[in-house]
Amino acid sequence: MLKILQTRLHQGHRTTKFPLEIPALPERFRGRPTIDQAKCSPQCQQCVDACPTSALSIVPVENGATKRELRLDLGKCVFCTECVDICPTGAIAYTKDHRLATSTREDLILSGDQLKLAEGLGQQITSRLGRALRLREVAAGSCNACDLDTNVLNTVGWDLSRFGIAFVASPRHADGLLVTGAISENMRYAVRDAYDAVPAPKIVIALGACAISGGPYAGSPATHNGLGDGSILPVDLFIPGCPPHPLTILDGLLRLIHRIPKG
């Protein structure tokens, strides 16, 4: 027992100090992408052709001398770097910025280096829920990568409960749902039933590319392309990635309950 206590004392404080401090991220971490329109060749669309999930598109615009714009849909992006590797001019790059969560599906469309980050819940629902959340996680046809990175938040390194956020077993005890996966045909009914069981007012969080757009499974007759179009459930928070890093997930959750300032 004495050895265990000595080892624990030697380890020291192991919980990240986020949001007061940003923890060290791995060298290969892929954060928010950026697009330099000035470097994008008007005749080139190699990145669009290479993208495995059709996340990139070229849109006609009238902006001075520019008549077209490259756009990246973070809701479809699986952060595979195919576009970065094939771009001959380096117009697309990944940053170390972990902040990716947005309040609307439209805000996930990136055309430069700025992203409109998620805002907190409205005053009416905030007054009912306060600054804490009880969430029921529903894996609706996921590969479990998003679920695993979410579960990491319950470890001592992140200690999600210190923010008043916890996952519960029953939707009847929850303030909302956190949904992963592309919404398979069978899980479509389960997701809806779980949502109906959550007491009002309630929220929905779409976590990962599959839950937002179907990810690499988009267009399959076995799935419903996620929750992004609002046809299955209304969504209050979109957290993109494949899977999102635990820091990205935590940042989104804290923005939702007004624990992180805007910006």
Side-chain angles (χ1 to χ4, degrees), residues 43-58 68 70-71 80 82-84 86-88 92:
Q43 289 77 36
C44 179
Q45 62 169 37
Q46 292 185 60
C47 59
V48 176
D49 297 335
C51 182
T53 58
S54 301
L56 284 159
S57 60
I58 296 174
R68 54 171 246 165
L70 181 64
R71 294 182 183 177
C80 67
E82 288 291 331
C83 57
V84 175
I86 203 169
C87 180
I92 307 172

Side-chain angles (χ1 to χ4, degrees), residues 4 27 101 194 237:
I4 294 174
E27 181 62 31
L237 183 69

